[in-house]
Amino acid sequence: MGLDALFGGGRVKTPRNSIDVSEAAGVRYLHFGSEWVQGAMRVARPFALELEYTREMMLPLLLAPDEGWPRRVLAIGLGAGSVVKFLHRYCPQSSITVVEIDPRMPPMAALHFRLPREDERLEIVIGDGAQFIADTEHKWDLILVDGYDHRARANALDTAEFHRACRARLAFEGRVCLNLFGRSRGFRASAQRILDAHDGHALVLPSLDEGNAICVTGTELGTRINLAALRGRAQLLRSQTTLNLLPTLSRLEQAGYCPGGVLTI
């Protein structure tokens, strides 16, 4: 029995792959022609981050150099638009550009997942993310990379050339945050390509139960932030947005990234 039969979701068929939407226990899910979950939204809380890996992708907000950061955000891969919605709602200082390769995704995300309309702060570009980063002349404070096909492959977004291009397009004190698939055979090689492109200044969180592993790069100046200060920032962020990153900080500490109570990237 397929997901549509189980949950009553809609399906859009194309020559490439289908986009499926299912719903269960108050949560709406996005799939690319399989049971793999590509995005999720709790219907009663459409701007909250339902999947744990999307919450961990907001870790850079705790590492911000000032209250106005990030001013310019590039998101490669739209999916259900969870991270884009969160930033658009809770970071009013941010201008967000989204690059999505599948032209079907923006209308699907708008129809089923409450993606806001484009405005002076939100631009959606249909195109190849790797090509976009190679061609753009803009600098970005935060580059978010979460682009997988229906077979869970990152393709051109998992190459040394792409990671070097991302680094070259970072503004001063900019960061890249990537969603990796921690259960794939090539996970270690993928993480190493990111580390090599950023001269070792990146952290890779342990894989979540969902299988995702988030990677955050350092900055030109490196990163050293007291863990107590990070916890204070996490508590403030939680009070402002309900997003709780305290478990992520505990995972960082357990992974050995905070020697002497200081996060070092």
Side-chain angles (χ1 to χ4, degrees):
M1 183 180 293
L3 289 168
D4 288 342
L6 283 171
F7 302 124
R11 171 166 291 182
V12 178
K13 294 184 178 180
T14 75
R16 292 164 290 175
N17 61 277
S18 63
I19 298 176
D20 303 312
V21 177
S22 65
E23 193 168 316
V27 179
R28 191 168 294 162
Y29 298 98
L30 173 71
H31 316 266
F32 293 160
S34 73
E35 293 189 7
W36 289 100
V37 173
Q38 300 286 348
M41 177 188 75
R42 186 163 296 277
V43 176
R45 300 176 58 204
F47 296 98
L49 295 170
E50 180 67 20
L51 297 180
E52 191 173 7
Y53 91 87
T54 61
R55 297 195 289 271
E56 292 212 330
M57 286 193 77
M58 294 295 94
L59 176 60
L61 296 181
L62 300 187
L63 312 178
D66 57 64
E67 292 184 358
W69 193 96
R71 293 167 182 82
R72 291 182 59 88
V73 178
L74 173 64
I76 297 178
L78 174 64
S82 302
V83 168
V84 172
K85 289 190 302 181
F86 182 88
L87 290 172
H88 190 265
R89 186 175 184 88
Y90 293 113
C91 295
Q93 78 280 9
S94 299
S95 172
I96 307 164
T97 298
V98 183
V99 181
E100 168 57 47
I101 198 167
D102 191 334
R104 299 171 298 167
M105 282 313 309
M108 286 289 290
L111 179 62
H112 295 287
F113 295 96
R114 296 280 299 276
L115 179 72
R117 293 184 178 184
E118 292 183 77
D119 57 21
E120 66 277 3
R121 293 180 46 237
L122 175 60
E123 177 189 18
I124 298 176
V125 177
I126 302 301
D128 180 273
Q131 192 62 52
F132 181 93
I133 202 71
D135 294 342
T136 184
E137 296 182 357
H138 292 299
K139 294 280 188 174
W140 312 88
D141 296 311
L142 178 59
I143 299 176
L144 299 165
V145 183
D146 183 14
Y148 287 91
D149 66 15
H150 63 290
R151 295 181 180 175
R153 299 173 302 188
N155 300 316
L157 304 182
D158 185 22
T159 64
E161 293 78 11
F162 172 73
H163 297 310
R164 288 195 295 266
C166 284
R167 181 178 181 179
R169 301 324 306 164
L170 288 175
F172 182 66
E173 295 191 285
R175 297 183 188 277
V176 185
C177 182
L178 308 97
N179 172 34
L180 306 180
F181 193 58
R183 295 177 185 169
S184 70
R185 293 181 180 178
F187 169 68
R188 290 183 179 274
S190 297
Q192 191 61 53
R193 281 189 283 272
I194 298 168
L195 287 163
D196 290 344
H198 293 270
D199 298 329
H201 296 294
L203 58 85
V204 182
L205 278 78
S207 180
L208 295 160
D209 291 341
E210 301 161 352
N212 305 83
I214 302 306
C215 177
V216 179
T217 68
T219 68
E220 298 174 11
L221 301 178
T223 300
R224 286 181 57 84
I225 305 178
N226 186 277
L227 187 57
L230 286 173
R231 290 197 178 105
R233 295 182 184 186
Q235 290 168 346
L236 178 61
L237 183 65
R238 184 178 185 180
S239 70
Q240 294 172 336
T241 69
T242 75
L243 172 61
N244 183 13
L245 287 176
L246 289 171
T248 299
L249 294 182
S250 295
R251 281 162 45 76
L252 283 174
E253 191 173 17
Q254 293 166 6
Y257 283 114
C258 306
V262 178
L263 174 65
T264 303
I265 306 175

